[in-house]
Amino acid sequence: MDNAGGKIVIFRSSVLKSLTTDVILKKTQKLNSKDIIGSGGYGVVYELKLDDSTALAIKRLNRGTAERDKGFERELEAMADIKHRNIVTLHGYYTAPLYNLLIYELMPHGSLDSFLHGMYLFVSNITF
């Protein structure tokens, strides 16, 4: 993944406190098809291993239409405010000219893709 012209925002997190945005971006650039853990109409979800004990789920959303960009904004706004033990934590996001990334905690033993698709449907019904 190319990171030219992008902006990354990482929320305060005990999981990511020791990592810089540069480290996260460099590791994200190395993601490839073997790291895919899910995909759907809105994007691809990758597992990003930060170290032996820490992994994240990276949801890549291709840009191109105003509807997709608005969907990214709605998901970002909704997930940034939700704090619940049964909902994955949004750790940050990345915006670039060709795609957006959402950086989530990795759900062990579950399908983040199914969850995120369900959240997208939920968020897309919210009026802001």
Side-chain angles (χ1 to χ4, degrees):
M1 290 188 214
D2 177 27
N3 70 349
K7 173 188 170 187
I8 188 168
V9 174
I10 301 295
F11 306 131
R12 291 182 187 179
S13 164
S14 60
V15 174
L16 302 176
K17 67 181 174 183
S18 63
L19 294 170
T20 66
T21 56
D22 288 342
V23 169
I24 294 171
L25 280 176
K26 285 178 184 174
K27 289 183 176 280
T28 301
Q29 286 179 316
K30 295 178 182 178
L31 292 172
N32 59 48
S33 60
K34 69 178 177 59
D35 300 310
I36 294 174
I37 57 174
S39 64
Y42 296 102
V44 178
V45 180
Y46 299 88
E47 179 178 0
L48 175 65
K49 293 181 183 180
L50 298 173
D51 57 38
D52 291 338
S53 63
T54 308
L56 299 171
I58 307 295
K59 182 177 182 184
R60 181 178 191 227
L61 303 163
N62 292 325
R63 297 187 73 173
T65 67
E67 182 179 331
R68 281 188 184 176
D69 290 347
K70 191 69 170 169
F72 169 77
E73 291 170 11
R74 284 192 300 257
E75 184 168 344
L76 182 59
E77 289 169 356
M79 292 304 294
D81 290 336
I82 294 174
K83 302 291 183 242
H84 189 278
R85 65 185 174 95
N86 294 329
I87 303 213
V88 294
T89 301
L90 178 67
H91 289 295
Y93 64 92
Y94 176 75
T95 58
L98 300 177
Y99 62 89
N100 293 315
L101 301 177
L102 293 167
I103 304 166
Y104 286 98
E105 74 177 292
L106 183 66
M107 281 181 57
H109 314 296
S111 170
L112 182 60
D113 184 52
S114 298
F115 169 79
L116 292 177
H117 180 70
M119 275 306 300
Y120 181 80
L121 294 176
F122 167 75
V123 171
S124 57
N125 290 324
I126 296 174
T127 304
F128 292 96

